[in-house]
Every structure is written in C-alpha cells, then in structure tokens.
Amino acid sequence: PPKLVAKTGHVPLYSGLRKVPPSLRRALMCFLLSTAVRSLREAGPTFNSMLIHVVRFTNVQGVVKEEVEKELGTIVSRLQFGDGSRSPSLLDELRDLWEKDYVVTTAAFGPEHELPAWKEVAASLPKVSSTIVVRGINGSALDALDYELHHDTGLNIIAIGGDKLSRGLTLEGLTV
C-alpha cells in the first residue's frame, strides 16, 4: 500500500496507482519536443523550464516529483535503448504528437514560422532527454533554480512545487 503523506494523508493516485496521469505524461513529452526544437534552432546554451504546480503540501509535491522522475526516467531509457516489443513505440507516440499538435499549430502562425524536420528532432531526442532535471521547489526543498550556475551550459528543468512557484518566481525559458 502507498505510504501516507504526513499532514494530509493524501497520496496522489491515477486510476488507483502511483503514476502520472496521461495529461501530465503528454505535457512531459511536449516539454521534451519543445526543448529539442530549441536546441536545434538556437546555438549555445538555452534555458527551458516546465512548471508543475501541485498543492501547498510539500510531502504531496515530493510524491509527484518521484512519479515525474520515474516517468521521465522511463522516457529517457526508451529513447536511448529502444522500446523492445512495445507498441506503439515512444518515437511513434512523439511523432503523432508532433504531427497532430506541433505541425498544425505552427502552420496556423503562417509560412514565416518553420519547424525543423521530424528526422532532426527525432535524432536529437535521446541526447536532449538526458539533460532534463527534475527539482522540487518549495520552502523546505534543498533544490534550487540555479540558472546562474548554468549560464555557460544552459538548463532544462522541470520545477515541481506549490506556493513558492506561484509567488512571482521567474522560470527562465518557461515552455510548458
């Protein structure tokens, strides 16, 4: 059974399991695609951030952080080592999202906006995915948004928190 979370007794579940819901998994994949596109478009280091605002309870935020780290780890592993016999493959899922969302949305902005070719994006995904870090951002977390420390390298970060994220904290390159 899932451990109870101090103060609230709440453990965030999806369909009775500790896992990210499909909407959050899709948002993770969008962040990965957007980060890949920026890496192809822009020379030099970039900052890309994803914000997951949960609740004010830091223990619940910690559970969500664990689940996001687990899902991101699965995505990274599948991109780097393949899917085996899984169907659809993760690349198939990402390409479907690319074609149904990114291509359509970008086309609506007009011909002056162009996306890189899918082949380039797909080739960059394993490397880009391995650069993404997950941080808990709250009053009791040791994690920090240390953009200055990454001035020369850039930073791809998923920030998970509650009140601290809703109080004017700047997320560089907020993407998702």
Side-chain angles (χ1 to χ4, degrees):
K3 68 179 182 184
L4 289 180
V5 177
K7 291 187 182 179
T8 65
H10 178 69
V11 175
L13 302 174
Y14 174 74
S15 293
L17 302 172
R18 274 189 58 170
K19 67 179 195 172
V20 300
S23 59
L24 181 52
R25 184 173 182 273
R26 184 177 194 272
L28 290 169
M29 293 193 309
C30 285
F31 181 64
L32 176 58
L33 287 170
S34 297
T35 301
V37 168
R38 277 199 74 201
S39 75
L40 292 168
R41 282 183 172 165
E42 299 177 31
T46 59
F47 295 112
N48 299 285
S49 301
M50 177 176 175
L51 166 66
I52 301 174
H53 186 283
V54 187
V55 296
R56 67 183 184 95
F57 300 109
T58 58
N59 291 331
V60 177
Q61 294 167 21
V63 172
V64 172
K65 180 180 179 236
E66 288 174 17
E67 296 310 312
V68 168
E69 287 174 325
K70 190 184 320 177
E71 185 64 34
L72 180 62
T74 299
I75 289 170
V76 171
S77 179
R78 289 176 70 186
L79 286 171
Q80 291 181 348
F81 304 111
D83 285 305
S85 61
R86 283 185 174 175
S87 183
S89 72
L90 182 59
L91 271 178
D92 289 341
E93 288 182 77
L94 287 162
R95 184 172 189 159
D96 187 59
L97 179 58
W98 177 259
E99 291 172 355
K100 290 180 179 171
D101 188 335
Y102 283 72
V103 171
V104 173
T105 301
T106 303
F109 283 103
E112 67 277 4
H113 297 279
E114 244 181 75
L115 286 170
W118 168 250
K119 188 175 181 177
E120 291 177 89
V121 174
S124 73
L125 290 172
K127 180 180 178 188
V128 169
S129 69
S130 69
T131 67
I132 298 171
V133 295
V134 181
R135 301 255 173 88
I137 308 298
N138 57 55
S140 61
L142 299 175
D143 288 341
L145 294 171
D146 47 3
Y147 293 112
E148 281 303 313
L149 293 175
H150 295 88
H151 185 267
D152 295 332
T153 59
L155 182 64
N156 300 318
I157 187 168
I158 298 172
I160 300 173
D163 290 346
K164 193 168 183 177
L165 290 176
S166 66
R167 294 215 166 104
L169 184 68
T170 299
L171 295 170
E172 299 290 335
L174 183 59
T175 307
V176 175

